[in-house]
Every structure is written in C-alpha cells, then in structure tokens.
Amino acid sequence: MPEKNSIVDIRATVVQSRRISSTVSIITLDCPAIAAAAKPGNFINVKVSDTTLPLLRRPFSIHNVRGTCIDIMVKSIGPGTSLFCDKPSGSTVMVLGPLGNCFDITAKEFDTAILLSGGIGTAPMLFLEKTLAAKGKKVINLIGGQSKEDLLAGELSNCRFATDDGSEGFKGNVVELLQNELENLKKEGNVKVFACGPNAMLKAVAKFCREQQLAGEVSLESVMGCGIGICYGCSVEVNTPDEGLRTILLCREGPVINAELLAV
Ligand SMILES: Cc1cc2nc3c(=O)[nH]c(=O)nc-3n(C[C@H](O)[C@H](O)[C@H](O)COP(=O)(O)OP(=O)(O)OC[C@H]3O[C@@H](n4cnc5c(N)ncnc54)[C@H](O)[C@@H]3O)c2cc1C
C-alpha cells in the first residue's frame, strides 16, 4: 500500500487518448503527484464523468509512467470505460491514487521475471517490465488471448503469444504456454511469475506455481467501489496457510497477492 500521504485526489488533464484496437485505448493523464509515487501494480480510481452517471469511480492499473504523466490502458466494456475512452485531449477527470499494493520485485532470489497476462490483464505489465529491467532482471512476457486481436503487447519486449484459436503463436492458453516454456526459461536462472488477467486464468497460474514450486504473484480483479477500504465492495476470498479461508479487501490488501493464496 502506498504511504497514506502519497495518495492524492486530483483533477488530471487527458493529454492524449489513442485507440490501439477496436475496444482498447491508451489514455495519457498528466498527474505529477501520482506519477512520482506510483509503483508497478498500483492502480487509480477515476471519476470518468462530472455528473452522477456513473456514480462510482472506476479502477484502472497504471500501465506506464512517463515524466509527470501516467498511461492507462482501458478496454471499453460498459458505460464507465466507454465514457473514459471517449474523453478528448484537454478534458479533465478526477483521479485518486496511487492505490493498492504493488508487485514485490525486491526479492533477490529470482533472475528472470515471467510476466504472464491475458486480455486487458496486460495493462500493468509495461510499468512492471520497465522497473524490473532497470533493476537488471531478465523479463519475458507470455501473453494470451482468445485470438490475435486480443493480444495487447504494445511496447512490451521479449513477447511470446498464446491464442485459443491458434491465430498467433502457441495454440492453447497462456498457462499451457508457460508449461511448455518453463524448462527453457529455468535454464536462465531462478524464475518468478507475475500474472494479471481473468480470475480463472490466475487460479490456473496459482495452481501451476504451487505444483512447480515457483514463486508467483497475481494481480486480481473484482468489481470495486471506493478503492480505499470503506465500501467493502471488493471483498475476495483467499486461502491463507495459517487461517484457511479469509476475506480480504482487494483495494487495500491487493490487488497483488501471493499466488499461494489463490492455489486450491
Ligand atoms: C484493481 C483493478 C485494476 C483494473 N485495471 C484495469 C485496466 O488497467 N484496464 C481496464 O480496462 N480495466 C481495468 N479494470 C477493470 C475496470 O475497472 C472495469 O472494466 C470497469 O470498472 C468497468 O466499468 P464500466 O462502467 O465500463 O462497466 P460496468 O457496467 O461497470 O461493467 C460491465 C460488465 O463488466 C463487469 N465488471 C465490471 N468491473 C469488473 C471487474 N473489475 N472485473 C470483472 N468484471 C467486471 C460487470 O459486472 C459487468 O458485467 C481493473 C479493475 C480493478 C479492480
């Protein structure tokens, strides 16, 4: 969790918004205080409209940090995301952040980071990749989607792809791709898996990490309200080694959790 006093609620200007696919946009927001404090895995909660429709803010991962700006990768799936994607340059939105915890990249016990993502789950990976690379870690991206159009590699490097329909890369899901690649990847040193995507995919990743005794972290999604632990809208059940099943608030104790907590 970022220091409480580094969380700000500010009016940020949309510097640029560009479509990268039929449903996905990269939105650049000028918000110096958030850009300065953000860590990979953090998210922001955006009031996408100045009216009460929609009433609640919408949470988005920090995709990239560039100077005083942050980039957000948004998939339009409903009224909030659609309004956000349609914001013209020069317009403003209220942004609360940075929120949530972050990926643990400080551990010395891994040399290679496997960034495994599916669909819009690729959103937090660019900021993570850049931060890992700056620390001298080797990074490999395994990216999955239903078909070629769903792959959101963008500026990510060292990417391998999995598609359900075989239209790009490995035919199958991204966890099966990991299974296929693991022996080779292990030759390059100890690996740690960082994953984000649909919760079903993350459960499969967690199970695989446990079976293979791999260190792993997963960034979960849930419907979310306030983003700061007040509304209890984002409670998620996890399996802790000490206490068994426990409910956590994803906005405060997540969105990143140890993969072990999701393995069943
Ligand atoms: C920590 C976090 C980080 C996120 N990061 C990103 C990101 O970087 N880019 C991005 O495009 N989206 C991200 N999301 C998801 C995004 O917040 C939702 O897509 C958005 O709130 C939907 O709003 P809407 O008004 O467009 O659609 P709504 O009308 O609110 O929802 C449309 C449909 O999607 C479902 N839905 C809504 N939110 C979620 C969710 N979080 N998980 C699963 N299903 C959901 C609803 O139940 C409904 O069926 C993130 C969510 C969380 C919790």
Side-chain angles (χ1 to χ4, degrees):
M1 191 86 181
E3 294 298 315
K4 215 175 167 189
N5 57 9
S6 69
I7 299 174
V8 292
D9 190 13
I10 48 169
R11 187 162 284 282
T13 303
V14 175
V15 176
Q16 192 189 42
S17 177
R18 63 190 171 91
R19 292 243 170 220
I20 58 164
S21 79
S22 57
T23 53
V24 179
S25 298
I26 304 280
I27 301 171
T28 304
L29 300 171
D30 187 27
C31 39
I34 295 178
K39 296 203 169 77
N42 288 162
F43 68 95
I44 55 172
N45 215 6
V46 182
K47 178 97 182 76
V48 294
S49 140
D50 284 332
T51 73
T52 49
L53 290 175
L55 185 61
L56 295 175
R57 292 179 183 232
R58 297 295 191 261
F60 300 98
S61 305
I62 296 175
H63 172 61
N64 197 10
V65 174
R66 294 184 289 134
T68 62
C69 292
I70 59 172
D71 289 337
I72 307 299
M73 182 190 265
V74 182
K75 179 165 186 169
S76 180
I77 61 159
T81 45
S82 155
L83 274 171
F84 196 19
C85 288
D86 288 343
K87 289 272 167 196
S89 304
S91 62
T92 61
V93 284
M94 288 304 292
V95 181
L96 179 69
L99 299 172
N101 63 1
C102 55
F103 289 107
D104 180 7
I105 57 171
T106 56
K108 292 213 172 20
E109 67 267 17
F110 73 96
D111 314 293
T112 301
I114 302 175
L115 275 47
L116 190 146
S117 61
I120 194 63
T122 306
M125 296 309 182
L126 183 59
F127 187 22
L128 177 59
E129 174 185 300
K130 285 169 67 174
T131 312
L132 283 161
K135 289 188 177 295
K137 302 285 187 187
K138 189 172 163 58
V139 178
I140 289 155
N141 281 282
L142 303 184
I143 302 176
Q146 286 177 354
S147 74
K148 198 176 172 175
E149 292 71 40
D150 303 315
L151 304 170
L152 296 168
E155 292 172 44
L156 290 170
S157 56
N158 212 359
C159 299
R160 293 166 207 179
F161 301 107
T163 49
D164 297 343
D165 65 3
S167 52
E168 179 82 41
F170 175 81
K171 185 174 189 316
N173 69 46
V174 71
V175 185
E176 291 165 341
L177 175 62
L178 171 62
Q179 201 165 358
N180 265 14
E181 300 271 340
L182 190 60
E183 284 315 308
N184 273 336
L185 294 175
K186 274 182 169 172
K187 286 181 194 149
E188 312 198 28
N190 288 337
V191 301
K192 179 170 179 180
V193 176
F194 299 87
C196 186
N199 288 351
M201 179 198 107
L202 297 181
K203 280 195 172 165
V205 174
K207 186 164 174 276
F208 185 74
C209 286
R210 175 180 279 185
E211 285 163 4
Q212 300 290 326
Q213 298 185 317
L214 295 176
E217 286 185 319
V218 298
S219 180
L220 287 176
E221 271 209 11
S222 75
V223 174
M224 197 174 272
C226 68
I228 49 173
I230 295 170
C231 75
Y232 283 67
C234 61
S235 24
V236 174
E237 203 166 68
V238 296
N239 204 356
T240 61
D242 309 329
E243 304 165 58
L245 286 181
R246 190 166 78 82
T247 300
I248 61 164
L249 290 183
L250 210 61
C251 66
R252 291 184 67 88
E253 293 182 67
V256 180
I257 62 168
N258 191 318
E260 193 55 28
L261 301 186
L262 207 63
V264 279

